[in-house]
């Protein structure tokens, strides 16, 4: 922990705050000297840019209760059923500071594929924005349609670290 590092632990701490009951707060840390080894601003900027686009201060959000078809990938976030919006952080659970830095007995970080599934309104069209958590930029936009039960399925492939997602109602296409 005393050597310079890319801030994987701090990155994961920030993004995990998107969980259903955690709320967004200034992260506390028991060993502040460790933070001097991390470019805190570089790590926090993408999170700040993403959070600035959310309307969580308006209320109405509940735990997204997202699941993954791949046991090595976790998804946490919140959804606003009344507005048809949601946001998630999707992470390969192998991407920890220990594994990324090769500390002590690191495990491998292998690419993972699967789907994230969570429930919204049935048979609704949603615009999905995928965000790069390292740069804070949108890395793609797509449209998905929930099934008759309201399940939204978001596929992912070759995931070695993480990404964030924003979901909102898609504007109907004109005919």
């Amino acid at each position: 922990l005393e050597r310079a590092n890319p801030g994987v632990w701090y990155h994961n701490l920030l993004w995990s705050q998107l969980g259903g009951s955690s709320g967004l707060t200034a992260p506390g840390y028991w060993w502040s000297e460790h933070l001097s080894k991390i470019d805190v601003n570089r790590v926090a900027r993408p999170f700040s840019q993403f959070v600035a686009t959310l309307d969580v201060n308006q209320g109405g959000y509940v735990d997204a209760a997202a699941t993954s078809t791949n046991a090595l990938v976790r998804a946490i976030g919140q959804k606003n059923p009344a507005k048809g919006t949601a946001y998630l952080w999707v992470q390969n659970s192998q991407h920890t500071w220990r594994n990324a830095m090769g500390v002590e007995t690191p495990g491998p970080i292998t690419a993972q594929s699967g789907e994230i599934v969570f429930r919204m309104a049935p048979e609704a069209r949603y615009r999905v924005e995928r965000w790069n958590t390292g740069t804070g930029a949108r890395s793609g936009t797509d449209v998905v349609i929930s099934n008759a039960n309201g399940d939204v399925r978001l596929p992912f492939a070759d995931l070695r670290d993480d990404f964030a997602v924003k979901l909102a109602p898609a504007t109907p296409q004109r005919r």
Side-chain angles (χ1 to χ4, degrees), residues 48-165:
S48 176
Q49 290 169 330
F50 181 78
V51 170
T53 68
L54 304 178
D55 66 350
V56 294
N57 61 329
Q58 302 296 312
Y61 282 87
V62 297
D63 186 356
T67 60
S68 175
T69 60
N70 182 326
L72 292 176
V73 174
R74 58 181 147 228
I76 60 171
Q78 296 184 354
K79 63 183 178 180
N80 186 323
K83 291 184 178 179
T85 59
Y87 59 87
L88 302 169
W89 177 55
V90 180
Q91 186 212 23
N92 178 336
S93 64
Q94 296 174 328
H95 192 257
T96 65
W97 71 270
R98 180 169 296 184
N99 292 343
M101 292 185 63
V103 176
E104 295 174 15
T105 55
I109 301 174
T110 57
Q112 302 297 318
S113 299
E115 289 182 317
I116 300 302
V117 182
F118 62 103
R119 188 150 292 171
M120 295 294 285
E123 299 176 350
R125 290 172 40 90
Y126 295 101
R127 182 185 74 251
V128 179
E129 296 176 356
R130 185 177 288 221
W131 289 65
N132 180 317
T133 62
T135 66
R138 251 183 305 199
S139 57
T141 304
D142 201 1
V143 173
V144 298
I145 301 172
S146 60
N147 67 17
N149 293 325
D151 292 338
V152 173
R153 302 182 83 79
L154 304 176
F156 60 89
D158 299 321
L159 179 63
R160 292 187 178 277
D161 48 16
D162 61 353
F163 64 91
V165 171

Side-chain angles (χ1 to χ4, degrees), residues 1-13 28-43 96-98 101 103:
L1 286 178
E2 292 184 9
R3 67 183 185 187
N5 68 72
V8 173
W9 180 89
Y10 189 63
H11 170 95
N12 292 346
L13 172 68
Y29 187 47
W30 61 272
W31 188 36
S32 59
E33 293 84 17
H34 179 233
L35 294 179
S36 68
K37 308 291 184 189
I38 299 169
D39 184 348
V40 175
N41 290 328
R42 181 192 57 78
V43 175
T96 65
W97 71 270
R98 180 169 296 184
M101 292 185 63
V103 176

